Amino acid sequence: MQRRVQPTSEAVRAANRARVVDILRRSGSATRAELVSGTGLSRATVSSLIGELADRGLVSELPQPAADAPGRPPTRLALNRAAGLAIAVDVGVRHVAVAVGDLSRSVLAERWVSLPQGHSAERGTHIVMRSIETTLAEAEADRDQIVGAAISIAAPIAPDSGRFLVPGVLPGWNGSELAELIGRTWGIPAAVENDANLGALGESVVAAPPGGDPHGQDLLYVKLASRVGLGIAFGSRGAFGSRIHRGHDGYAGELGHVTADPDGPACWCGRRGCLELYAGAEGMLARLAARGIRIDDVNELIRRAEAGDADVLAVIGDGTRRLARSLGALALVLNPSVIILGGELTALGPLLLDPVHAELAAVPFGAPVAVRTSTLGPRASLMGALALVLSESSRFTDQSSAPVAANPGRVTAPAAAPSRSLKSPSHPSPSRPSL
Ligand SMILES: [Zn+2]
């Protein structure tokens, strides 16, 4: 008896292929069983799509880890560099960092450069562009392989315009102009995002081991540096990995401007007594200066705290208690699985962690909220920028969206990216066997 074959249009197949690729981008790697459950497609369809992607050099099997238990662990699949490369840029007050990674989350090259004090925006932009060029060269990246760039900025950003809301941070810099320049130069989509949001996304990737909870974490990342920022990354049922929660019009996470004392000092945001005036390093230094104690920077603040300076300890103790109370309120409202503390002030160690632990242990409902310092440390926002290109795949295209050509060595560019020609893989990864 002849088997009845259901006709499958290329559009349906392309949509199914995009679902497989999307899960691989979000999760870094997946087994065939995870792809079947994640897409809802049949095992045969998933196998056929994986075979097609492998034939085009876009997907590889990951090397098997040494098995502790008897029985062969299921093979994990990942996108390889032929599927696309992502550029991550982190612009801080004193540094520029650039990473180039593939869509399986492997970092191929990473570069950190100091920003000179009092630099002009023009000079800073030049340093960013040169750093990207050098890092791409170190990664031996083919220009046509780049699918997008995400730029982390250590400042509150107006979501509609990409402009910075604090004039004093990175004077003259404009987030959207930098993104446009990067996008234009390399012919790719480029997005700018707040560093705390990206810190949350970066930590959510590290917190999710391969084969771990496919729905992602409900995670809060609190950046404690000159100012106080909050990134919220939520997991969701039926979707792999966590997503940044930006709120109604993009301003979610302005924890630094929750009122800690309505009669407190004036804040740049126009209100009084905002939390970051007490719990951020700049605010702590200002409070000490008001008492006639001049401390130049965060490092000296931490040194004086470690040395037991009573005035410094009093200001830090007051700030961390106010922060802890706000985090306790956040835990009640949002019920996160973990709160991660990042930024320079995490060097305070127990002076910071103890009051936060105590406050969260007193939350009356649910399992105790885990609190820890950032696993990625200063790299959290940079790794989050890479993760953004992977997790928001609708904003950043990849080679798998190209239609299959008769000659697999020459593939036509999709209509969505007419200016780019797509090539067959030019850098097969030697460490990963092909399927
Ligand atoms: Zn404020």
Side-chain angles (χ1 to χ4, degrees):
M1 194 175 117
Q2 198 168 8
R3 212 168 134 217
R4 199 169 152 214
V5 179
Q6 291 287 341
T8 308
S9 75
E10 178 49 33
V12 171
R13 193 168 174 81
N16 290 340
R17 191 167 56 228
R19 285 157 77 185
V20 168
V21 169
D22 188 53
I23 289 176
L24 290 171
R25 281 175 78 148
R26 286 176 185 286
S27 56
S29 68
T31 63
R32 284 180 173 78
E34 286 166 353
L35 291 171
V36 168
S37 71
T39 56
L41 299 170
S42 73
R43 196 174 171 85
T45 303
V46 166
S47 286
S48 160
L49 292 169
I50 289 292
E52 180 201 314
L53 290 166
D55 286 346
R56 290 164 59 191
L58 304 178
V59 166
S60 298
E61 289 184 352
L62 290 180
Q64 296 277 359
D68 316 335
R72 194 163 172 267
T75 303
R76 300 199 73 80
L77 303 157
L79 295 168
N80 63 31
R81 61 181 296 160
L85 300 177
I87 298 173
V89 180
D90 175 31
V91 181
V93 176
R94 287 182 292 274
H95 74 266
V96 166
V98 175
V100 173
D102 66 19
L103 300 188
S104 75
R105 300 181 180 167
S106 300
V107 176
L108 305 173
E110 184 174 331
R111 187 174 186 81
W112 288 69
V113 181
S114 294
L115 275 177
Q117 203 150 26
H119 66 274
S120 66
E122 195 185 346
R123 170 99 181 111
T125 303
H126 177 72
I127 291 174
V128 168
M129 299 306 277
R130 211 182 45 201
S131 297
I132 294 175
E133 242 169 70
T134 312
T135 315
L136 285 171
E138 281 170 11
E140 296 178 26
D142 186 326
R143 193 185 173 98
D144 292 339
Q145 291 179 312
I146 308 165
V147 302
I151 303 137
S152 165
I153 304 279
I157 296 162
D160 47 353
S161 66
R163 287 192 171 272
F164 302 166
L165 295 174
V166 194
V169 179
L170 297 168
W173 284 68
N174 178 325
S176 58
E177 278 175 14
L178 181 62
E180 273 165 31
L181 180 62
I182 290 172
R184 216 171 38 241
T185 304
W186 281 280
I188 50 174
V192 62
E193 183 70 58
N194 171 264
D195 61 339
N197 284 351
L198 290 176
L201 196 61
E203 291 289 341
S204 77
V205 169
V206 182
D213 180 3
H215 305 302
Q217 309 252 324
D218 290 325
L219 173 153
L220 305 182
Y221 174 84
V222 184
K223 182 158 183 189
L224 301 163
S226 294
R227 296 191 165 84
V228 173
L230 170 71
I232 305 167
F234 284 158
S236 63
R237 291 261 146 216
F240 279 71
S242 304
R243 285 175 181 275
I244 295 173
H245 174 76
R246 297 186 176 87
H248 169 63
D249 55 2
Y251 289 97
E254 289 300 341
L255 176 68
H257 301 279
V258 165
T259 304
D261 178 359
D263 301 318
C267 178
W268 63 263
C269 75
R271 302 212 302 175
R272 306 193 77 85
C274 292
L275 178 63
E276 75 175 25
L277 302 179
Y278 301 89
E282 204 174 284
M284 288 177 180
L285 297 182
R287 292 184 81 196
L288 285 161
R291 296 183 186 193
I293 301 163
R294 191 182 151 73
I295 294 179
D296 287 335
D297 60 20
V298 186
N299 295 336
E300 195 190 336
L301 180 82
I302 291 163
R303 270 198 302 277
R304 297 269 286 261
E306 284 168 348
D309 184 315
D311 291 306
V312 169
L313 286 175
V315 164
I316 289 174
D318 181 62
T320 52
R321 272 191 303 277
R322 290 176 195 269
L323 172 76
R325 276 201 293 276
S326 296
L327 293 182
L330 267 184
L332 274 170
V333 173
L334 294 174
N335 188 215
S337 54
V338 58
I339 295 181
I340 295 173
L341 305 177
E344 293 153 313
L345 285 182
T346 52
L348 290 170
L351 287 175
L352 169 67
L353 280 167
D354 287 355
V356 175
H357 273 298
E359 188 70 35
L360 290 169
V363 170
F365 309 108
V369 181
V371 181
R372 60 176 172 81
T373 50
S374 163
T375 308
L376 290 166
R379 297 173 75 230
S381 301
L382 184 67
M383 293 301 104
L386 268 188
L388 186 78
V389 180
L390 308 191
S391 69
E392 300 195 352
S393 50
S394 58
R395 296 166 77 183
F396 308 99
T397 54
D398 63 66
Q399 314 295 48
S400 70
S401 59
V404 184
N407 174 358
R410 293 187 62 81
V411 180
T412 320
S419 62
R420 299 173 54 209
S421 68
L422 304 180
K423 287 184 177 176
S424 59
S426 55
H427 297 281
S429 169
S431 62
R432 293 176 192 158
S434 54
L435 289 173

